[in-house]
Amino acid sequence: MFLKMLPVSLQKYIKMSRRQRKHEMQMTLWYMPFYYILLSIFFVVVTLLLDIVFQIEQYTFEFFRINAEITRMLVSTLIGGILTLSAFTLNSLLVVLTTFSGQFSPRMLLNFVADRRTQHALGIFNGNFVYVLLVFLFIGNTRHEFFVAVPIVTIFLAFTSSVTFIYFINHATTWMQVHNITDTMKHSSEKIINQTLRKDLEQYRTEEPGDLMEAKRSKAQPIGAIKSGYIQLVDYRKMIEEARKDDIIIQFHAQVGDYILKNNKLISYWGPGAENIDEAKYCKMIIIDYKETELQDIQMGMHKLGEIAIKSLGNNDPKTATNTIHQMAELMLTVEDYITFTPYLMDNDEQVRVILLSESFESYIYRGFGFIRHYARDNHLIITELVDSIAMVAESIDSSKHQMLWEFACNTIDHIETEVIYQLDKTFLLEALERLSKVTGNKLDYYSIHRRFYPID
């Protein structure tokens, strides 16, 4: 009953899982300022107690005692000053957000809003303003003649606001620089891999499927999605434990990040305990909602990086696209180091309990570089940089992935028209491809591509 009385914007947070709620709250602007406002209220109580109740002016030097009238004038003046700084800061924030929407990707807005430095700066402004406002209300009609704590703290907060203003302007201009944007996004994706995917999945993965209860698989029971939307989060740990208790195997027919319609086949299950299964229990372990999130979806982070490169190509900014390709290449190393490409998740008894959709390193190559390659088209400089980055990736990863990288690069080269490419572009492109061929052991295939660019009459 109480839940229905709350605004819809608050109801959604209560309905979320704890992990999702924490993520969503950190992506909003009011999260950090709320704590600063609480802290400012605490300071109001402390300073008023020191001045009015404990009367600390009796125990301090006369230099620190300030007349009540001067204190009121100081506080009232700083109310307008801090409010002006806050308004100017918010105006700067809006300019940054507007610039990002037009020049880069709208998805970048979330990254700037969620940045800790952005939230701390806004929190300081809001907290300081609330402090001077509340203090002004309480000392307005007091008969107390001298104040010590209130003016000292007020002057300190005004100084803090002025320094924060300079800090925020510097933060906004620094954050907008392309190399900082791409590096931040790369680290965000790496954090998902290291802290989320690794903890959620890697400890349960196994390359040996073992007993999959094939005799009962033909009687697998499907479960449809309870609503339409994106698959945002799956509680794999709880699902594996419940599947062990029920003695069943669960197979996914969609993965995190996929869009699914209501009643579409989401999972199926089979096994000795399949007859008495509470299907709703497993549905609650899979969170589906109207938007994509990065909690368990590394591919979304790759899309955001790719969008920056694509926008840069449209704005005739090859340097930004090149920087993004380099960050994407580094992200590929993290994918290769920390993700085991097997769909089987086992319990503590080494019995497979969950089967995911099969993924390969090749799918991540496509997600990372495929969209950039498509929009680069006849931009031979970017294609050359792309092939060179793939060669660097090949030098740093296991040889089992080399053929995938070579085939992706060859497929990219196949769509270049040899008659319209400049001579130096052709030279540098073939040098990058030759470097890749040496690393991947495809020297003979390189010669056939070389002859296509330089046919023998």
Side-chain angles (χ1 to χ4, degrees):
M1 183 65 182
F2 175 74
L3 181 62
K4 294 181 179 179
M5 297 173 61
L6 294 175
V8 177
S9 57
L10 292 179
Q11 289 183 23
K12 67 177 184 179
Y13 290 105
I14 297 176
K15 294 178 181 179
M16 291 178 181
S17 65
R18 181 180 178 183
R19 179 177 175 183
Q20 192 180 18
R21 187 186 305 116
K22 180 181 178 182
H23 174 75
E24 289 292 329
M25 289 180 66
Q26 290 176 345
M27 299 290 283
T28 60
L29 276 176
W30 56 265
Y31 172 72
M32 191 64 67
F34 174 74
Y35 288 103
Y36 275 94
I37 290 173
L38 292 180
L39 185 62
S40 69
I41 295 173
F42 171 76
F43 273 111
V44 169
V45 174
V46 172
T47 52
L48 290 177
L49 284 175
L50 289 174
D51 274 338
I52 298 176
V53 178
F54 297 105
Q55 299 182 358
I56 62 171
E57 74 273 5
Q58 301 175 16
Y59 312 102
T60 58
F61 295 104
E62 186 176 351
F63 174 79
F64 295 103
R65 300 174 190 171
I66 299 180
N67 184 275
E69 183 178 350
I70 297 176
T71 302
R72 293 189 192 97
M73 183 176 66
L74 173 67
V75 173
S76 63
T77 303
L78 290 180
I79 288 176
I82 294 176
L83 183 60
T84 301
L85 278 179
S86 302
F88 198 88
T89 304
L90 291 174
N91 182 61
S92 302
L93 174 62
L94 291 175
V95 171
V96 171
L97 299 182
T98 303
T99 303
F100 273 28
S101 296
Q103 188 173 356
F104 297 107
S105 166
R107 301 175 192 269
M108 291 299 300
L109 304 181
L110 292 176
N111 289 64
F112 186 76
V113 169
D115 190 280
R116 284 287 192 181
R117 291 167 293 180
T118 302
Q119 295 196 354
H120 279 299
L122 295 177
I124 290 172
F125 284 124
N126 283 275
N128 291 354
F129 175 73
V130 169
Y131 174 85
V132 294
L133 183 63
L134 292 179
V135 165
F136 181 75
L137 291 175
F138 282 102
I139 69 173
N141 297 319
T142 183
R143 296 181 180 179
H144 205 65
E145 295 183 1
F146 295 98
F147 291 92
V148 175
V150 168
I152 290 177
V153 174
T154 303
I155 292 172
F156 173 76
L157 293 182
F159 176 77
T160 303
S161 297
S162 62
V163 173
T164 304
F165 172 73
I166 299 172
Y167 169 80
F168 181 79
I169 297 300
N170 179 71
H171 159 62
T173 53
T174 303
W175 202 90
M176 286 179 63
Q177 297 176 19
V178 174
H179 60 276
N180 290 328
I181 295 173
T182 54
D183 186 65
T184 300
M185 296 181 66
K186 180 202 68 180
H187 284 301
S188 177
S189 297
E190 288 178 342
K191 183 178 179 181
I192 296 171
I193 295 174
N194 294 328
Q195 297 186 4
T196 305
L197 294 181
R198 194 176 182 187
K199 291 181 180 179
D200 290 347
L201 294 174
E202 291 306 307
Q203 59 180 320
Y204 302 111
R205 288 191 191 268
T206 178
E207 296 184 1
E208 298 297 330
D211 180 18
L212 295 180
M213 307 177 188
E214 294 292 345
K216 299 181 180 292
R217 194 167 187 171
S218 60
K219 299 181 181 179
Q221 299 294 319
I223 300 178
I226 58 175
K227 61 188 292 189
S228 300
Y230 292 96
I231 301 176
Q232 295 182 338
L233 192 66
V234 179
D235 191 344
Y236 293 108
R237 178 178 302 180
K238 186 175 181 180
M239 183 172 290
I240 292 171
E241 179 60 26
E242 292 300 321
R244 184 190 66 80
K245 293 178 181 178
D246 293 335
D247 197 14
I248 59 171
I249 294 178
I250 299 171
Q251 182 173 16
F252 276 80
H253 300 283
Q255 61 184 359
V256 173
D258 287 351
Y259 187 83
I260 192 169
L261 295 176
K262 184 178 181 180
N263 296 325
N264 281 173
K265 191 175 181 181
L266 179 59
I267 60 175
S268 58
Y269 62 91
W270 65 88
E275 295 181 359
N276 301 309
I277 295 300
D278 180 10
E279 296 184 352
K281 174 178 66 175
Y282 291 98
C283 289
K284 292 178 181 178
M285 301 176 194
I286 305 172
I287 298 176
I288 300 174
D289 213 336
Y290 66 96
K291 67 176 183 178
E292 294 179 272
T293 63
E294 293 181 272
L295 278 173
Q296 288 181 333
D297 188 8
I298 177 61
Q299 294 185 3
M300 184 181 176
M302 290 183 167
H303 281 309
K304 288 165 67 174
L305 267 176
E307 283 179 356
I308 293 179
I310 293 168
K311 274 280 191 178
S312 303
L313 292 172
N315 294 327
N316 297 319
D317 184 8
K319 188 62 179 176
T320 299
T322 299
N323 182 270
T324 305
I325 290 172
H326 293 162
Q327 299 293 345
M328 191 75 77
E330 188 174 347
L331 186 58
M332 288 295 170
L333 299 185
T334 307
V335 170
E336 199 270 341
D337 287 340
Y338 293 107
I339 298 181
T340 305
F341 297 98
T342 174
Y344 304 110
L345 305 181
M346 63 180 181
D347 58 17
N348 294 331
D349 299 326
E350 298 186 354
Q351 166 65 51
V352 171
R353 292 300 178 185
V354 175
I355 303 176
L356 307 176
L357 286 181
S358 296
E359 283 188 312
S360 67
F361 185 69
E362 189 175 27
S363 65
Y364 284 90
I365 298 172
Y366 176 74
R367 296 293 182 185
F369 295 118
F371 291 100
I372 300 175
R373 174 182 67 176
H374 174 77
Y375 286 94
R377 296 178 183 173
D378 296 328
N379 192 328
H380 303 127
L381 298 175
I382 298 300
I383 295 297
T384 299
E385 197 64 48
L386 183 62
V387 174
D388 192 57
S389 296
I390 291 174
M392 289 191 291
V393 173
E395 290 177 359
S396 302
I397 67 173
D398 188 78
S399 59
S400 62
K401 314 290 194 311
H402 283 177
Q403 194 59 31
M404 300 177 189
L405 294 170
W406 172 254
E407 291 176 358
F408 182 86
C410 287
N411 186 252
T412 302
I413 299 297
D414 287 342
H415 290 78
I416 293 180
E417 298 182 20
T418 58
E419 294 82 6
V420 297
I421 184 173
Y422 292 111
Q423 180 62 41
L424 284 178
D425 289 347
K426 186 187 303 184
T427 300
F428 293 132
L429 177 61
L430 290 175
E431 284 180 358
L433 190 64
E434 184 180 16
R435 177 186 179 184
L436 178 61
S437 69
K438 290 178 180 178
V439 177
T440 59
N442 289 281
K443 194 70 175 177
L444 293 177
D445 291 338
Y446 164 74
Y447 289 134
S448 64
I449 295 174
H450 187 278
R451 285 193 295 270
R452 185 165 70 85
F453 283 87
Y454 293 99
I456 301 176
D457 295 332

